[in-house]
Amino acid sequence: MLDKINVTPARNASNRYDWDELVQEDRVHRLIYTDPAIFEAEMTQIFGAVWVYVGHESQIARNDDFITTRLGLRPIILLRDSQGVIRALFNRCTHRGTTLCRKDKGSARTFTCPYHGWSYLNSGKLRAVPWPDGYACDFKDAKYNVAQVPRVESYRGFIFGTLNLDAPPLLDYLGGIAKPIDEWLDRQPKGRIAVCEANRLKFKGNWKLAYDNSGDGYHVVFSHRSLLEMENRQADVANKGMSYYKSSPDTSPMYMAYMGNGHHFKDKRPAIEKRAGGLWAVEGPAPGTEHYQEELRRRYGGKADDILDLASSEPVNINVFPNFSLLGNHIQVFEPVSVDETNVTWYGTAVVDEDGALGGAVDTINTLRMRTMEQFPNFGEVDDLANFEEIQRGLACLEDEWIYMHRGLGIPDRVKTDANGVIMAPATDEAFMREYIKEWKRLMKAKPNIAVKREP
Ligand code: FES
Ligand SMILES: [Fe+2]
């Protein structure tokens, strides 16, 4: 059963603004980062209306597994029900609205509300109500079953949900960004990963500041100077980490590509030497890994380079609007909390080797991989978060209203569109920001067809 939700102006501020005034070709207004009413409208117009990442299949591998997550601000129980169906239930009791589940993850066939004990099957159907003779209603009415996200789809293990009945199928929404996602997966054995635990960070700033930065190649050598210095302190040749951003990144073979629907891709792979061991050669030092590295070289000889590459960060930023990125070996998720607070979670990923094709090296690879994954969230992301918080502080200057994103705009032959409509530009260009914010503007003006589903 579908409950259509009428998104009236009283429920949504989206038609109170002149979006063309707030989002211009070269600049955006401070209000889009600071206005609580715009934030609230985004929770429907963006986080209700497009496919939003909610979790990975490896986190709910068996029937009855669940994790708790979010769709915008809506608390969600993402689960594989007792029949194996992946569902995203609103984590909200239909009685008086309290959250049903307060654990991060687990396995459960039923959820019993902690408040008055109503219990539900993991399909979302109401199972029992304590002392039912105190009620005159028919509890078989579908309105007592837990509301759930009407459309949940997964792409090669990545699970997305949307409330918008008019949204295109997930694969169409991903469009051109599916190819870099495929390449990111296909470098892993059997094209698979398992999601591990996470670095959980937060910042006092608007969620779009993180998305604006997600392909920003302009800030790297300035904002992350200490990380670059640390990574290269012991190196004979200063080529570790993101050194390819030094001197003239715009003439380097890396590039940014805008793929439509707000998605964009920063491809740094062309800046890395293409050979076995090429990725491992630019990994920064991680004390304690030397023994593992030597052990792999001793055991696997010439094949060790390929194995070490699997432990190395993949030099890409694959950004799926509005909340999902693949960078290095991480899955990064942006989670809005309020107009000026955002959670940024960096999930580690592990290689999976069920049939033993890696000849017993899988644990060593994942151990090394864990060390390489410690680098950026701890030593780089903190630089970014400090920038985002300082932008939010700067935006309190009410009279200085505009934020510029015009790097590359109006320079002949700098930004190019290929035959597939992909917009390409040098690595430090802000073209992806201008393009995704146009898409944001289109969505803020649109009328999504929002609904929730309940079991009949
Ligand atoms: S709020 Fe859940 S049983 Fe009352
Ligand atoms: Fe950064």
Side-chain angles (χ1 to χ4, degrees):
M1 193 188 88
L2 287 171
D3 300 346
K4 296 275 187 85
I5 313 294
N6 190 11
V7 186
T8 59
R11 284 182 176 169
N12 184 331
S14 70
N15 38 20
R16 278 185 228 149
Y17 295 87
D18 178 351
W19 299 110
D20 293 323
E21 163 72 11
L22 296 181
V23 175
Q24 301 177 8
E25 192 187 18
D26 60 335
R27 61 184 192 173
V28 296
H29 196 274
R30 58 178 287 286
L31 272 181
I32 74 166
Y33 301 97
T34 59
D35 185 339
I38 292 182
F39 176 83
E40 202 182 323
E42 284 177 326
M43 293 305 106
T44 299
Q45 299 294 118
I46 309 291
F47 283 85
V50 301
W51 289 98
V52 171
Y53 178 73
V54 285
H56 189 266
E57 285 187 25
S58 64
Q59 294 172 286
I60 47 168
R62 290 173 305 266
N63 288 7
D64 302 324
D65 284 354
F66 71 84
I67 58 168
T68 50
T69 175
R70 297 249 288 262
L71 183 77
L73 295 181
R74 303 162 191 87
I76 297 287
I77 311 172
L78 179 71
L79 56 79
R80 200 181 287 266
D81 75 13
S82 298
Q83 266 62 53
V85 179
I86 295 179
R87 297 175 185 269
L89 306 184
F90 279 18
N91 189 1
R92 180 199 188 280
C93 181
T94 57
H95 177 216
R96 296 261 290 280
T98 185
T99 56
L100 276 173
C101 176
R102 287 121 196 228
K103 289 188 172 157
D104 293 337
K105 59 183 174 186
S107 172
R109 302 170 75 116
T110 60
F111 294 94
T112 300
C113 179
Y115 200 176
H116 312 94
W118 288 23
S119 71
Y120 303 86
L121 298 173
N122 60 13
S123 65
K125 216 172 163 68
L126 181 66
R127 174 174 159 266
V129 168
W131 306 318
D133 42 3
Y135 281 105
C137 69
D138 178 6
F139 278 116
K140 296 223 160 26
D141 189 327
K143 72 182 180 192
Y144 297 116
N145 298 332
V146 174
Q148 47 192 294
V149 178
R151 298 177 66 194
V152 177
E153 286 183 26
S154 129
Y155 182 69
R156 296 192 63 183
F158 301 112
I159 308 168
F160 293 78
T162 183
L163 303 175
N164 185 2
L165 302 181
D166 293 343
L170 175 61
L171 192 56
D172 294 354
Y173 178 66
L174 294 175
I177 203 77
K179 183 166 174 268
I181 294 175
D182 287 344
E183 289 167 1
W184 188 88
L185 280 168
D186 290 337
R187 99 178 180 99
Q188 323 286 342
K190 299 270 184 323
R192 286 182 55 203
I193 48 108
V195 169
C196 315
E197 258 313 329
N199 280 69
R200 293 169 199 278
L201 303 163
K202 55 167 62 226
F203 66 93
K204 291 289 292 170
N206 187 266
W207 67 275
K208 292 188 294 302
L209 297 172
Y211 202 79
D212 292 349
N213 180 75
S214 59
D216 183 326
Y218 198 18
H219 77 294
V220 175
V221 289
F222 311 105
S223 292
H224 301 303
R225 204 177 72 195
S226 58
L227 171 60
L228 281 168
E229 272 175 17
M230 181 194 74
E231 285 178 323
N232 285 287
R233 206 165 40 201
Q234 297 169 345
D236 317 329
V237 195
N239 66 345
K240 303 284 188 190
M242 296 181 292
S243 295
Y244 40 76
Y245 276 109
K246 284 196 199 144
S247 58
S248 57
D250 280 350
T251 57
S252 141
M254 61 182 170
Y255 60 92
M256 63 125 282
Y258 178 77
M259 319 294 245
N261 292 340
H263 316 319
H264 63 98
F265 176 38
K266 170 64 60 65
D267 189 1
K268 301 169 284 191
R269 294 171 305 183
I272 307 288
E273 234 185 299
K274 246 185 223 50
R275 60 172 172 90
L279 274 181
W280 183 253
V282 298
E283 272 298 335
T289 58
E290 300 84 355
H291 160 79
Y292 292 98
Q293 194 190 151
E294 280 156 25
E295 176 69 11
L296 284 174
R297 293 209 185 278
R298 194 182 57 73
R299 270 170 60 197
Y300 297 95
K303 278 187 68 186
D305 277 328
D306 292 313
I307 290 175
L308 286 164
D309 280 345
L310 274 179
S312 313
S313 305
E314 179 74 335
V316 293
N317 302 32
I318 300 167
N319 301 290
V320 179
F321 184 74
N323 73 329
F324 170 85
S325 295
L326 296 172
L327 329 86
N329 293 325
H330 285 99
I331 299 170
Q332 188 191 17
V333 182
F334 310 121
E335 194 178 78
V337 177
S338 68
V339 68
D340 58 2
E341 190 174 354
T342 306
N343 293 335
V344 185
T345 309
W346 292 67
Y347 292 92
T349 63
V351 299
V352 186
D353 188 29
E354 270 165 9
D355 59 7
L358 291 173
V362 65
D363 287 344
T364 312
I365 292 170
N366 284 332
T367 303
L368 284 172
R369 192 164 159 128
M370 191 172 78
R371 292 305 314 274
T372 59
M373 285 189 293
E374 285 165 0
Q375 299 262 352
F376 198 80
N378 289 301
F379 299 104
E381 180 67 0
V382 285
D383 302 327
D384 293 325
L385 301 189
N387 286 334
F388 307 158
E389 293 200 342
E390 294 304 317
I391 296 173
Q392 198 77 26
R393 255 161 47 80
L395 297 185
C397 297
L398 300 179
E399 297 73 18
D400 205 357
E401 297 173 291
W402 299 102
I403 293 133
Y404 289 92
M405 35 181 74
H406 65 308
R407 184 171 171 78
L409 184 69
I411 299 184
D413 299 326
R414 184 173 162 108
V415 181
K416 300 193 175 90
T417 305
D418 76 10
N420 301 315
V422 175
I423 297 170
M424 313 270 287
T428 70
D429 217 274
E430 290 169 345
F432 77 90
M433 279 184 226
R434 297 191 289 277
E435 295 303 324
Y436 106 77
I437 209 73
K438 267 187 225 164
E439 178 62 9
W440 179 89
K441 176 163 79 171
R442 189 189 69 76
L443 289 162
M444 293 303 278
K445 292 178 181 176
K447 257 201 145 309
N449 186 9
I450 302 287
V452 293
K453 184 172 87 174
R454 293 178 206 270
E455 282 297 276

